[in-house]
Amino acid sequence: MALSRGLRCCQRVFSWIPVLIITAVVLWSYYAYVFELCLFTITNTLEKVAYLLLFHVCFVMFSWTYWKSIFTPPASPCKKFQLSYSDKQRYEMEDRPDAQKQILVEIAKKLPIFTRAQSGAIRFCDRCQVLKPDRCHHCSVCEMCVLKMDHHCPWVNNCVGFSNYKFFLLFLAYSMVYCIFIAATVFQYFLKFWEGVLPNGPAKFHVLFLMFVALMFFVSLMFLFGYHCWLVAKNRSTLEAFSAPVFANGPDKNGFNVGTRRNLEQVFGENLRLWFIPVFTSQGNGHYFALKNRSSESQNPLLANEDMWEESDDGSEEGSLAEDVDPSVTIEMEE
């Protein structure tokens, strides 16, 4: 037990290494650009002031989005999807698998679940003791089920999902802006140092490396950002791009695709002025997502009786999730 705890502690410490690497590179780039380039190399005062102002705008937006991507906790399913104490007792005391499935079926009748396991059964996480909402997956690193999980990113040491996907996209975007701004403004001085117009000194090496590092990161970020833009336009997560979500009628990679505009609004919200600001504006609460084929929803009895969701023990406002689920489907445990 003590060894296991020690290993988990070491794993948590080592998981911060990629973040520390990025932080170190960014801090060095700040020093190299502000001090070695702007203060020690550039002689034109107007150019120096303009570069410093624009650089700090890019730096602040990059740092803000990176911070939000790292420290925004992943969203987990609400307690409506968790087994209550009594249901958990019934489930654990029952030895027959079929009876256990029937217990879960009774619970699932009140939940807006449309996706299925590969076998066609409703998904259940045995580790978290929770019925998985649509697009929810269990992260073995975070040791929790994450709403609309996209992937676990080591560079932010966090799960990218419903709660921080917008922040992650903005982080990629502002990282590209940061890199391309540095490369564009450093380029003329890079050439002057390279051709020997400017004298050799500490600034030369900082400027040369700034150029190479900025271009290297920009190229890699460009492909990653382009891929995620395509995912947003299609309303898919990274996991769904590799394995299409399964519905009652079978797998459908476009099951959540409701049009490019609505897909974008699901992530960024309806207020265009807030699209490029790292504040949470995503639509919904991560438990239910509109489907491409709305007709399949109208066939479910939960839509006809929304009180089944709204009349809860705690009287919470989660009744707004009321949508349909097919009560006849079986359930199987899935980790």
Side-chain angles (χ1 to χ4, degrees), residues 8-24 66-67 69-72 141 152-158:
R8 285 199 298 268
C9 182
C10 291
Q11 182 182 11
R12 292 174 182 173
V13 172
F14 286 123
S15 66
W16 285 101
I17 291 179
V19 175
L20 294 177
I21 292 175
I22 295 296
T23 302
Y66 192 39
W67 177 275
S69 299
I70 295 173
F71 295 106
T72 300
V141 179
H152 185 92
C153 180
W155 298 108
V156 299
N157 192 27
N158 198 3

Side-chain angles (χ1 to χ4, degrees), residues 13-49:
V13 172
F14 286 123
S15 66
W16 285 101
I17 291 179
V19 175
L20 294 177
I21 292 175
I22 295 296
T23 302
V25 171
V26 172
L27 291 177
W28 164 78
S29 70
Y30 183 90
Y31 166 78
Y33 192 91
V34 172
F35 292 93
E36 297 293 344
L37 177 67
C38 292
L39 298 183
F40 301 152
T41 302
I42 299 176
T43 57
N44 187 300
T45 303
L46 181 61
E47 181 182 11
K48 183 182 301 187
V49 172

Side-chain angles (χ1 to χ4, degrees), residues 5-144:
R5 291 179 180 177
L7 291 175
R8 285 199 298 268
C9 182
C10 291
Q11 182 182 11
R12 292 174 182 173
V13 172
F14 286 123
S15 66
W16 285 101
I17 291 179
V19 175
L20 294 177
I21 292 175
I22 295 296
T23 302
V25 171
V26 172
L27 291 177
W28 164 78
S29 70
Y30 183 90
Y31 166 78
Y33 192 91
V34 172
F35 292 93
E36 297 293 344
L37 177 67
C38 292
L39 298 183
F40 301 152
T41 302
I42 299 176
T43 57
N44 187 300
T45 303
L46 181 61
E47 181 182 11
K48 183 182 301 187
V49 172
Y51 281 8
L52 285 173
L53 286 176
L54 292 175
F55 172 82
H56 279 90
V57 171
C58 296
F59 180 80
V60 168
M61 295 307 298
F62 164 81
S63 302
W64 189 4
T65 55
Y66 192 39
W67 177 275
K68 295 285 285 186
S69 299
I70 295 173
F71 295 106
T72 300
S76 58
C78 67
K79 59 184 178 180
K80 291 294 183 182
F81 290 82
Q82 299 172 356
L83 295 181
S84 65
Y85 179 78
S86 58
D87 290 332
K88 186 176 181 180
Q89 289 292 103
R90 291 171 54 207
Y91 180 80
E92 292 178 347
M93 292 177 62
E94 185 58 65
D95 296 329
R96 297 170 298 170
D98 291 341
Q100 289 181 326
K101 291 180 180 180
Q102 184 57 38
I103 293 173
L104 297 177
V105 168
E106 296 174 1
I107 303 171
K109 290 179 180 179
K110 303 178 181 180
L111 301 174
I113 298 175
F114 294 94
T115 54
R116 308 289 190 257
Q118 291 294 329
S119 63
I122 293 177
R123 305 178 304 146
F124 176 73
C125 180
D126 194 41
R127 295 181 180 180
C128 300
Q129 294 292 292
V130 63
L131 294 174
K132 294 182 181 179
D134 293 346
R135 317 186 82 172
C136 175
H137 298 274
H138 184 90
C139 176
S140 58
V141 179
C142 297
E143 298 181 345
M144 62 181 293

